[in-house]
Amino acid sequence: QAPLVESGGGVVQPGGSLRLSCAASGTIFSITHMAWYRQAPRKQRELVALITSGGKTMYGDSVKGRFTISRDNAKNTVDLRMNSLKPEDTAVYYCNAAAFAVGVDHEDDYWGQGTEVTVSP
């Protein structure tokens, strides 16, 4: 079972909105930060937004004021609300969490398989 499962990607017109969701499976626990990254074709993966277990957030410069990250610690879920989408937001979006897993004695980074977002007229 994948440690993180994303949903909510799709095709949207410029200026539109999408909401991505990510749920942690029962294979990871004691999650500290959760985040969204993205990778566009021929580009490196970049941080979009991060939220700590205490609710502190940080955003990549290109999405500040347009995207909002939120999480539910009880459900181990993290959402990304994306508004005013631009063609340059087109990418595969990955959910990330720092957590422990059964049988692993240290905190590690875990990833979802990604969900594709396309912003196009």
Side-chain angles (χ1 to χ4, degrees), residues 27-49:
T27 61
I28 59 173
F29 57 94
S30 296
I31 298 173
T32 53
H33 77 255
M34 300 187 82
W36 288 94
Y37 285 74
R38 68 185 181 187
Q39 187 166 17
R42 298 175 297 281
K43 291 188 176 181
Q44 289 188 330
R45 190 173 294 189
E46 64 174 354
L47 175 68
V48 176

CSV table of all heavy atoms in Angstrom, one decimal, residues 27-49:
chain,number,residue,atom,x,y,z
A,27,THR,N,0.3,2.9,6.9
A,27,THR,CA,1.7,2.4,7.0
A,27,THR,C,2.7,3.4,7.5
A,27,THR,O,3.8,3.0,7.8
A,27,THR,CB,2.2,1.9,5.6
A,27,THR,OG1,2.1,3.1,4.7
A,27,THR,CG2,1.3,0.8,5.0
A,28,ILE,N,2.2,4.6,7.6
A,28,ILE,CA,3.1,5.7,8.2
A,28,ILE,C,2.4,6.3,9.4
A,28,ILE,O,1.1,6.4,9.4
A,28,ILE,CB,3.6,6.7,7.2
A,28,ILE,CG1,2.4,7.4,6.6
A,28,ILE,CG2,4.5,6.0,6.2
A,28,ILE,CD1,2.8,8.6,5.7
A,29,PHE,N,3.2,6.9,10.3
A,29,PHE,CA,2.5,7.5,11.5
A,29,PHE,C,3.5,8.5,12.1
A,29,PHE,O,4.6,8.7,11.6
A,29,PHE,CB,2.2,6.4,12.6
A,29,PHE,CG,3.4,5.6,13.0
A,29,PHE,CD1,4.1,5.9,14.1
A,29,PHE,CD2,3.8,4.5,12.3
A,29,PHE,CE1,5.2,5.2,14.5
A,29,PHE,CE2,4.9,3.7,12.6
A,29,PHE,CZ,5.6,4.1,13.8
A,30,SER,N,3.1,9.2,13.1
A,30,SER,CA,3.9,10.3,13.7
A,30,SER,C,4.4,11.3,12.7
A,30,SER,O,5.6,11.6,12.6
A,30,SER,CB,5.0,9.7,14.5
A,30,SER,OG,4.6,8.9,15.6
A,31,ILE,N,3.5,11.7,11.9
A,31,ILE,CA,3.8,12.6,10.8
A,31,ILE,C,4.1,14.0,11.3
A,31,ILE,O,3.4,14.6,12.1
A,31,ILE,CB,2.6,12.7,9.8
A,31,ILE,CG1,2.4,11.3,9.2
A,31,ILE,CG2,2.9,13.7,8.7
A,31,ILE,CD1,1.1,11.3,8.3
A,32,THR,N,5.2,14.6,10.9
A,32,THR,CA,5.6,15.9,11.3
A,32,THR,C,5.1,16.8,10.2
A,32,THR,O,4.0,17.2,10.1
A,32,THR,CB,7.1,16.1,11.6
A,32,THR,OG1,7.9,15.6,10.5
A,32,THR,CG2,7.4,15.3,12.9
A,33,HIS,N,6.0,17.2,9.3
A,33,HIS,CA,5.5,18.1,8.2
A,33,HIS,C,4.9,17.3,7.1
A,33,HIS,O,5.2,16.2,6.8
A,33,HIS,CB,6.7,19.0,7.7
A,33,HIS,CG,7.6,18.3,6.8
A,33,HIS,ND1,8.9,17.9,7.1
A,33,HIS,CD2,7.5,17.9,5.5
A,33,HIS,CE1,9.5,17.3,6.1
A,33,HIS,NE2,8.7,17.3,5.1
A,34,MET,N,4.0,18.0,6.4
A,34,MET,CA,3.4,17.5,5.1
A,34,MET,C,3.5,18.6,4.1
A,34,MET,O,3.5,19.8,4.4
A,34,MET,CB,1.9,17.1,5.3
A,34,MET,CG,1.7,16.1,6.4
A,34,MET,SD,0.0,15.5,6.4
A,34,MET,CE,0.0,14.3,5.1
A,35,ALA,N,3.7,18.2,2.9
A,35,ALA,CA,4.0,19.2,1.8
A,35,ALA,C,3.5,18.7,0.5
A,35,ALA,O,3.2,17.5,0.3
A,35,ALA,CB,5.5,19.4,1.8
A,36,TRP,N,3.5,19.7,-0.4
A,36,TRP,CA,3.2,19.4,-1.9
A,36,TRP,C,4.4,19.9,-2.7
A,36,TRP,O,4.9,21.0,-2.4
A,36,TRP,CB,1.9,20.1,-2.3
A,36,TRP,CG,0.7,19.5,-1.8
A,36,TRP,CD1,0.0,19.9,-0.7
A,36,TRP,CD2,-0.1,18.5,-2.4
A,36,TRP,NE1,-1.1,19.1,-0.5
A,36,TRP,CE2,-1.2,18.2,-1.6
A,36,TRP,CE3,0.1,17.7,-3.5
A,36,TRP,CZ2,-2.1,17.2,-1.8
A,36,TRP,CZ3,-0.8,16.7,-3.8
A,36,TRP,CH2,-1.9,16.5,-3.0
A,37,TYR,N,4.8,19.1,-3.5
A,37,TYR,CA,5.9,19.4,-4.5
A,37,TYR,C,5.3,19.2,-5.9
A,37,TYR,O,4.2,18.6,-6.1
A,37,TYR,CB,7.1,18.5,-4.4
A,37,TYR,CG,8.0,18.7,-3.2
A,37,TYR,CD1,7.6,18.3,-1.9
A,37,TYR,CD2,9.2,19.3,-3.3
A,37,TYR,CE1,8.4,18.6,-0.8
A,37,TYR,CE2,10.0,19.5,-2.2
A,37,TYR,CZ,9.6,19.2,-1.0
A,37,TYR,OH,10.4,19.4,0.1
A,38,ARG,N,6.0,19.8,-6.9
A,38,ARG,CA,5.5,19.6,-8.3
A,38,ARG,C,6.7,19.5,-9.2
A,38,ARG,O,7.8,20.0,-8.9
A,38,ARG,CB,4.6,20.7,-8.7
A,38,ARG,CG,5.3,22.1,-8.9
A,38,ARG,CD,4.3,23.1,-9.2
A,38,ARG,NE,4.9,24.4,-9.4
A,38,ARG,CZ,4.2,25.6,-9.6
A,38,ARG,NH1,2.9,25.6,-9.6
A,38,ARG,NH2,4.8,26.7,-9.8
A,39,GLN,N,6.5,18.8,-10.3
A,39,GLN,CA,7.6,18.6,-11.3
A,39,GLN,C,7.0,18.8,-12.6
A,39,GLN,O,6.1,18.0,-13.1
A,39,GLN,CB,8.3,17.3,-11.1
A,39,GLN,CG,9.5,17.1,-12.0
A,39,GLN,CD,10.3,16.0,-11.7
A,39,GLN,OE1,9.9,15.0,-11.0
A,39,GLN,NE2,11.6,16.0,-12.1
A,40,ALA,N,7.4,19.8,-13.3
A,40,ALA,CA,7.0,20.1,-14.7
A,40,ALA,C,7.9,19.4,-15.6
A,40,ALA,O,9.0,19.1,-15.3
A,40,ALA,CB,7.0,21.6,-14.9
A,41,PRO,N,7.5,19.2,-16.9
A,41,PRO,CA,8.3,18.5,-17.9
A,41,PRO,C,9.7,19.2,-18.0
A,41,PRO,O,9.7,20.4,-18.1
A,41,PRO,CB,7.5,18.6,-19.1
A,41,PRO,CG,6.1,18.6,-18.7
A,41,PRO,CD,6.1,19.4,-17.4
A,42,ARG,N,10.7,18.4,-17.9
A,42,ARG,CA,12.1,18.9,-18.1
A,42,ARG,C,12.5,19.9,-17.0
A,42,ARG,O,13.5,20.7,-17.2
A,42,ARG,CB,12.2,19.6,-19.5
A,42,ARG,CG,12.0,18.6,-20.7
A,42,ARG,CD,12.0,19.3,-22.0
A,42,ARG,NE,11.0,20.3,-22.1
A,42,ARG,CZ,9.7,20.1,-22.4
A,42,ARG,NH1,9.3,18.8,-22.6
A,42,ARG,NH2,8.8,21.0,-22.5
A,43,LYS,N,11.9,19.9,-15.9
A,43,LYS,CA,12.3,20.7,-14.8
A,43,LYS,C,12.5,19.9,-13.5
A,43,LYS,O,12.0,18.8,-13.4
A,43,LYS,CB,11.2,21.8,-14.5
A,43,LYS,CG,11.2,22.8,-15.6
A,43,LYS,CD,10.3,24.0,-15.3
A,43,LYS,CE,10.3,25.1,-16.3
A,43,LYS,NZ,9.4,26.2,-15.9
A,44,GLN,N,13.2,20.4,-12.6
A,44,GLN,CA,13.4,19.7,-11.3
A,44,GLN,C,12.2,19.8,-10.5
A,44,GLN,O,11.4,20.8,-10.6
A,44,GLN,CB,14.6,20.4,-10.6
A,44,GLN,CG,15.9,20.0,-11.2
A,44,GLN,CD,17.1,20.5,-10.4
A,44,GLN,OE1,17.0,21.5,-9.6
A,44,GLN,NE2,18.2,19.8,-10.4
A,45,ARG,N,12.0,18.9,-9.6
A,45,ARG,CA,10.9,18.9,-8.6
A,45,ARG,C,11.1,20.1,-7.7
A,45,ARG,O,12.2,20.4,-7.2
A,45,ARG,CB,10.9,17.6,-7.8
A,45,ARG,CG,9.6,17.5,-7.0
A,45,ARG,CD,9.5,16.1,-6.3
A,45,ARG,NE,9.4,15.0,-7.4
A,45,ARG,CZ,9.1,13.8,-7.1
A,45,ARG,NH1,9.0,13.4,-5.8
A,45,ARG,NH2,9.0,12.9,-8.0
A,46,GLU,N,10.1,20.9,-7.4
A,46,GLU,CA,10.2,22.0,-6.6
A,46,GLU,C,9.1,22.0,-5.5
A,46,GLU,O,8.0,21.5,-5.7
A,46,GLU,CB,10.0,23.3,-7.4
A,46,GLU,CG,8.7,23.5,-8.1
A,46,GLU,CD,8.5,24.9,-8.7
A,46,GLU,OE1,9.4,25.7,-8.6
A,46,GLU,OE2,7.5,25.1,-9.4
A,47,LEU,N,9.4,22.7,-4.3
A,47,LEU,CA,8.5,22.8,-3.3
A,47,LEU,C,7.4,23.7,-3.6
A,47,LEU,O,7.6,24.9,-4.1
A,47,LEU,CB,9.2,23.2,-2.0
A,47,LEU,CG,8.3,23.5,-0.8
A,47,LEU,CD1,7.6,22.2,-0.3
A,47,LEU,CD2,9.0,24.2,0.3
A,48,VAL,N,6.1,23.3,-3.4
A,48,VAL,CA,5.0,24.2,-3.6
A,48,VAL,C,4.5,24.8,-2.3
A,48,VAL,O,4.4,26.0,-2.2
A,48,VAL,CB,3.8,23.5,-4.3
A,48,VAL,CG1,2.6,24.4,-4.4
A,48,VAL,CG2,4.2,22.9,-5.6
A,49,ALA,N,4.3,24.0,-1.3
A,49,ALA,CA,3.8,24.4,0.0
A,49,ALA,C,4.1,23.4,1.0
A,49,ALA,O,4.1,22.2,0.7
A,49,ALA,CB,2.3,24.7,-0.1
